[in-house]
Amino acid sequence: MIRDERRRRHITQDEFARALNISGRWMREIEAGNPASRLDDHLHAAMLLRLPTAHISLAILFVASGMPVPRHILHADTGHLERECVDLIASGSIKSLTSELTPHWWAESNA
């Protein structure tokens, strides 16, 4: 995804590597999917290109849960999933915060 978006924008590997403050060789390793490449480099590259990062974070969630990573997630447009996850977390946080900040006397009188 990083390589495809960089190419779509007509940015060379060396230009993008400089923007990320990494070597051109390391940029090639990232785009080639080298398993030794660092997660934060992938995230930084994706964010610099304004790409969704859900394909990375969702893969981590599956692995951490002991589940196989659905391969289509790694190459799919996951922007909608990223937004849904953020919305779900925000909604839960708002509900929790509202509950915490609601005075007991107000909650009792409106029950």
Side-chain angles (χ1 to χ4, degrees):
M1 291 177 67
I2 292 167
R3 180 192 64 229
D4 293 345
E5 183 64 16
R6 177 190 57 75
R7 286 179 177 171
R8 189 186 72 72
R9 295 181 187 200
H10 306 289
I11 303 169
T12 68
Q13 275 187 330
D14 288 333
E15 290 170 337
F16 197 55
R18 280 193 298 278
L20 290 169
N21 199 29
I22 61 174
S23 71
R25 178 186 167 137
W26 193 240
M27 185 72 243
R28 287 187 289 283
E29 296 291 331
I30 290 170
E31 288 187 350
N34 181 337
S37 58
R38 296 181 352 201
L39 179 61
D40 59 327
D41 287 335
H42 285 272
L43 289 169
H44 189 209
M47 291 186 320
L48 190 60
L49 291 169
R50 296 191 179 274
L51 290 171
T53 57
H55 66 285
I56 298 169
S57 54
L58 291 174
I60 292 169
L61 287 173
F62 275 90
V63 170
S65 298
M67 299 172 62
V69 178
R71 294 291 169 207
H72 73 277
I73 287 178
L74 301 176
H75 302 287
D77 177 9
T78 56
H80 67 287
L81 288 174
E82 189 171 281
R83 287 186 295 279
E84 286 183 34
C85 288
V86 170
D87 288 347
L88 182 64
I89 293 167
S91 177
S93 295
I94 290 169
K95 286 177 186 174
S96 176
L97 184 60
T98 300
S99 176
E100 288 176 31
L101 295 177
T102 301
H104 67 85
W105 50 264
W106 192 87
E108 292 166 358
S109 65
N110 289 304

